Amino acid sequence: MQNPLKKTLFALYVLVIVCMAAATVVEKYSGTDFVRSNVYGAWWFSLLWAVLTAVGVVYFLRHRCKSWSGIALHLSLVVILAGAFVTHVSSERGTVHLCQGAYISTCVMYDRHNQPYDAQMPFQMRLDRFDVQYHEGTDAAEDYVSQFTIIDHGKQYSGKVSMNRIFRYGAMRFYQSSYDNDMLGASVSFNSDPIGIPLTYTGYALLFFSLVYMLFDPHGAYRKLLRLSHLKKGLMMMALRSGSLLKLFSYTNKGKTTWFAPTDDLPNAMDREHQQFVRSICLLLGDCALASDYTQMDAVVGKMLKYQQKNGGASMPFDRRVAAERIYNRIPFATILFMLCLAMGIISFLYAIIRMCREDNGASNGGTDADPVRKKRSKRLHLTFFGASYAVLLLSFCALTYCEYLRWTISGTLPMTNGYETMLFVAWLVQLLALVCGVRLRLLVALGFLMSGFFLLVSHIGQMYPQIKHTMPVLNSPLLSVHVSIIMMGFAMLSFTFISGLTALLLRLVSRTAQPKMVQLQQLSLVFLYPALAALGIGIFIGAIWANVSWGEYWGWDPKEVWALITFMIYAIPLHARSVAQLRRPTAFHLFMTLAFMTLVMTYFGVNYFLGGMHSYA
């Protein structure tokens, strides 16, 4: 029964992806309204997702997943889909065009197929003032602001909306939409979704938590992978036993000091006594270890140290460098800080989202009738949370600074000589910026945690260099910056899996003994695939939250949104190797990863230069 169920699930999964991809192409030639009505808003499309979810749940239960991170992740997707369904069938949305000084009681509503119809509102609205705010010294719009009055049963309530700032009235949420050229009229959109929004936000919170927890769940697949992927230990074992990697013995001749391993060809100028000492000392150490004679081992190590001090000359590391290396080897700075920063980042963002929702509730009262005691308590809690987060970031920055100091002391040069050190330095800069600017823009503290956490994990990935310029008002949101940054980090890590896959396939073509290296490259790709998928998932759904805050719609089925979801779904397949046995083979895995990169190219370039849409920047 399980095999047919698996085939059914796989067929439905592929069918959903194909339908979404085809819809983006159809949209280019038939228009957005056509695909919204005939694909995304059609009954068969919703039914397809529902059947896929139902079959997936049955298969998951029969699969008996024992990983809490995996259970939480798949549960979050079910909750998000349930929230989307509730929103689809029960939410109401529309638009009202306001004129300055005029009382309006009619609006335009939209049905489930996005078809408009006229409707009567349960209250009246009047536009009091509309303003376009500009960046100082320029004619570039910074924000659009509509101030209006709601008249309900003889009572008046003041409201104000702008880009990325909504107004709540009961279960309704109002958003700035557009304005008239004469500045005397403005359109305000609204929706009502009292059940779908909390359910969807619950799914998002669970998703964010599970994606991050997936990376350091001690019983999860990723941590097991990290333990298996320390390939150097296995490759170095024979070399260590023979002593070929242990260049412990120095010899100075004509002012030049050279270090040798016991298995190296020793210079003829070295006297026979020294040669005999070098050849036999490691064997003696091995005999002592086998006999558990640790007293004799200490004595042998002491002799080696005296030999080094006598013959090492100026090449011997000074005491401070030795002490620094011992501390550095004892403390796994990058591992500890990676986990700390990602954990604090997700906590900070969840808190920011909760606080944002509370600010929306406060705005519904015009900010005039809030309980002063509750407001003071909320402010005190916010300051405490921010102070604690800032303190943790400061401690992380100090630890990373100390790590950089140790590496500088050990090497004697500025620690920026390779990709790993460069990324440590970039993570250090990110945390410094977050500490300096986070005092005024507190969301930067959470951003600093997340970005530095990913930089510490992916030390070889280059940093982004965003151009700074005035943006459209709708884009002036901290959530948008987070959304783009995290997705770009995910894309960068997925690019590495493409390079790894391409390298493995080329090795397969030119070498008959490429299998071990292909296995290593497969493990390396998986090391980056897990955090890349986490970054992509978090980035996509932070974008959904931003969209809901900005214009009241989580998901607009824009081509770039659709292709980002397709990319996420495609790259999730290799993480289910227990179900897709073919991808356990290195050749099939690398071929899949190489071809999967085309979805990323389509998301980033194809949408911009071919499909178009709201997210097109070409």
Side-chain angles (χ1 to χ4, degrees), residues 201 208 348-358 479 545:
Y201 273 14
F208 296 158
S348 300
F349 272 115
L350 290 177
Y351 176 79
I353 292 170
I354 293 172
R355 182 171 176 80
M356 212 176 300
C357 294
R358 288 180 177 176
L479 285 176
I545 293 173

Side-chain angles (χ1 to χ4, degrees), residues 119-431:
Q120 193 76 18
M121 293 190 300
F123 47 77
Q124 292 183 317
M125 296 183 67
R126 181 191 67 220
L127 179 65
D128 299 324
R129 180 181 177 85
F130 175 79
D131 290 313
V132 179
Q133 298 177 354
Y134 298 94
H135 292 279
E136 188 173 354
T138 73
D139 58 357
E142 181 180 19
D143 205 353
Y144 305 118
V145 183
S146 294
Q147 300 181 44
F148 53 85
T149 299
I150 292 179
I151 302 94
D152 191 0
H153 294 89
K155 296 182 179 180
Q156 295 188 359
Y157 304 91
S158 298
K160 177 180 177 181
V161 292
S162 60
M163 305 310 297
N164 298 308
R165 286 185 177 273
I166 65 176
F167 173 77
R168 287 178 179 269
Y169 182 74
M172 301 180 69
R173 295 155 58 96
F174 291 88
Y175 308 81
Q176 177 63 44
S177 181
S178 61
Y179 63 96
D180 298 344
N181 293 331
D182 59 7
M183 309 282 286
L184 298 178
S187 293
V188 177
S189 60
F190 60 87
N191 69 17
S192 176
D193 188 17
I195 302 176
I197 289 177
L199 186 60
T200 302
Y201 273 14
T202 300
Y204 288 169
L206 185 59
L207 176 75
F208 296 158
F209 169 79
S210 58
L211 284 173
V212 175
Y213 183 56
M214 173 184 70
L215 299 180
F216 50 90
D217 178 5
H219 303 294
Y222 188 60
R223 288 294 298 274
K224 293 178 181 178
L225 173 67
L226 290 180
R227 289 193 288 268
L228 291 174
S229 63
H230 292 307
L231 304 175
K232 292 184 178 179
K233 291 185 178 180
L235 295 174
M236 291 169 62
M237 182 57 66
M238 293 184 62
L240 286 172
R241 287 172 66 97
S242 65
S244 61
L245 293 180
L246 304 177
K247 294 185 179 295
L248 301 174
F249 306 96
S250 55
Y251 177 72
T252 303
N253 186 27
K254 297 181 180 180
K256 181 181 179 180
T257 301
T258 306
W259 289 78
F260 297 95
T263 55
D264 290 342
D265 293 330
L266 302 178
N268 294 329
M270 182 183 291
D271 58 67
R272 294 187 63 183
E273 182 181 355
H274 283 191
Q275 289 189 19
Q276 184 64 28
F277 178 83
V278 172
R279 299 292 188 198
S280 62
I281 196 70
C282 284
L283 294 176
L284 181 58
L285 266 178
D287 293 339
C288 293
L290 291 174
S292 300
D293 190 350
Y294 301 114
T295 302
Q296 183 64 20
M297 283 185 70
D298 290 340
V300 174
V301 171
K303 291 181 180 179
M304 292 173 63
L305 180 59
K306 290 180 180 179
Y307 180 92
Q308 292 171 343
Q309 292 172 340
K310 180 179 179 181
N311 298 280
S315 66
M316 285 291 293
F318 50 86
D319 293 341
R320 187 161 61 94
R321 179 179 293 180
V322 173
E325 186 166 3
R326 287 176 175 171
I327 295 173
Y328 181 82
N329 291 334
R330 190 180 304 123
I331 305 174
F333 286 95
T335 302
I336 294 173
L337 295 179
F338 154 67
M339 295 181 179
L340 173 67
C341 291
L342 280 184
M344 285 298 300
I346 198 66
I347 293 172
S348 300
F349 272 115
L350 290 177
Y351 176 79
I353 292 170
I354 293 172
R355 182 171 176 80
M356 212 176 300
C357 294
R358 288 180 177 176
E359 288 178 351
D360 290 344
N361 289 328
S364 65
N365 296 319
T368 58
D369 58 350
D371 183 4
V373 177
R374 182 182 299 176
K375 187 175 181 181
K376 186 176 181 180
R377 188 185 303 122
S378 176
K379 184 177 181 180
R380 189 185 304 118
L381 175 63
H382 177 59
L383 291 175
T384 302
F385 182 88
F386 172 73
S389 301
Y390 194 89
V392 173
L393 183 62
L394 181 61
L395 289 175
S396 176
F397 176 75
C398 292
L400 191 54
T401 303
Y402 186 51
C403 174
E404 292 283 73
Y405 163 77
L406 293 176
R407 290 187 68 91
W408 194 344
T409 302
I410 294 167
S411 64
T413 59
L414 189 67
M416 292 189 63
T417 59
N418 54 48
Y420 177 74
E421 291 182 341
T422 302
M423 284 299 99
L424 286 183
F425 184 65
V426 172
W428 183 85
L429 287 176
V430 167
Q431 293 193 356

Side-chain angles (χ1 to χ4, degrees), residues 497-512:
T497 66
F498 165 73
I499 296 172
S500 178
L502 195 60
T503 303
L505 293 177
L506 291 175
L507 285 173
R508 180 73 173 81
L509 290 175
V510 301
S511 174
R512 295 181 179 179

Side-chain angles (χ1 to χ4, degrees), residues 537-609:
I538 292 172
I540 288 173
F541 290 102
I542 284 180
I545 293 173
W546 163 66
N548 188 51
V549 171
S550 297
W551 56 79
E553 190 175 55
Y554 299 102
W555 197 261
W557 295 107
D558 184 76
K560 178 152 287 192
E561 295 175 352
V562 174
W563 275 100
L565 179 59
I566 291 174
T567 302
F568 182 83
M569 294 176 68
I570 290 291
Y571 276 101
I573 294 176
L575 300 188
H576 296 78
R578 290 180 60 187
S579 299
V580 189
Q582 294 83 351
L583 293 183
R584 299 176 196 171
R585 298 196 296 267
T587 302
F589 174 86
H590 290 301
L591 181 61
F592 181 91
M593 298 304 294
T594 304
L595 295 176
F597 187 72
M598 296 302 103
T599 63
L600 191 151
V601 173
M602 189 65 186
T603 304
Y604 194 76
F605 295 104
V607 172
N608 288 350
Y609 297 100

